[in-house]
Amino acid sequence: MRALDSLDDRIRQHMDKHRIVGLAASVICGGRSVWSGGYGWANIERRIPVTENTVFRIASNSKTVVATAVMQLVEKGLCRIDQDAGELLGYPVRNPKYPDHPVTLKQLMTHTSGLQDEYVRFAVDSRSENPPRSRLTDLLLPDGPYYTDRLWGTGCPATRTASNIRTWEPSYWPPWSRSSRRNGSTNTAGSTF
């Protein structure tokens, strides 16, 4: 336990040095958590402390995690890269303009599903609660409270016109760079596992 006390001290020193408002940490040994701790504030204004159960927004770091996890599931034979994401989620994931074209894991991960980043209200509301109560069905299903027709682009899934690239991005960026900035597809792919 002395090592964990030292870790606790080092975390606090690191937070002070780098002016970190809040963080959670955990030590995993043999696949089991042997220590967890919360430090600082999850919300300074409302004086909500960080606990070991605080949910943090990790933003685009999730894209690498999601892609790795999906490919591990594919390697284990638990899903296929060309599988309809709706089969895994338990509800249909379809561009309403192309209801006969399933949205696949590959399309979600390569940003060719047609999903656009039209979910600001959903993101803001889900971040105001910890843990979030909003569900992806609230956004993706037409009767969901966050659904909007702008969620889907005009192109058929898996075609160049279904790319999630926005016109505001500089045209001189390479295509892989432009399309890698979309989040809606990654969020949906992540929900499959």
Side-chain angles (χ1 to χ4, degrees), residues 1-12 35 39:
M1 285 313 252
R2 185 177 181 139
L4 294 179
D5 290 337
S6 173
L7 175 62
D8 188 67
D9 290 339
R10 290 191 63 195
I11 288 172
R12 291 180 193 284
W35 173 87
Y39 301 85

Side-chain angles (χ1 to χ4, degrees), residues 30-47:
R32 295 180 50 210
S33 175
V34 295
W35 173 87
S36 295
Y39 301 85
W41 301 105
N43 186 311
I44 296 172
E45 256 180 42
R46 294 176 23 203
R47 309 283 299 163

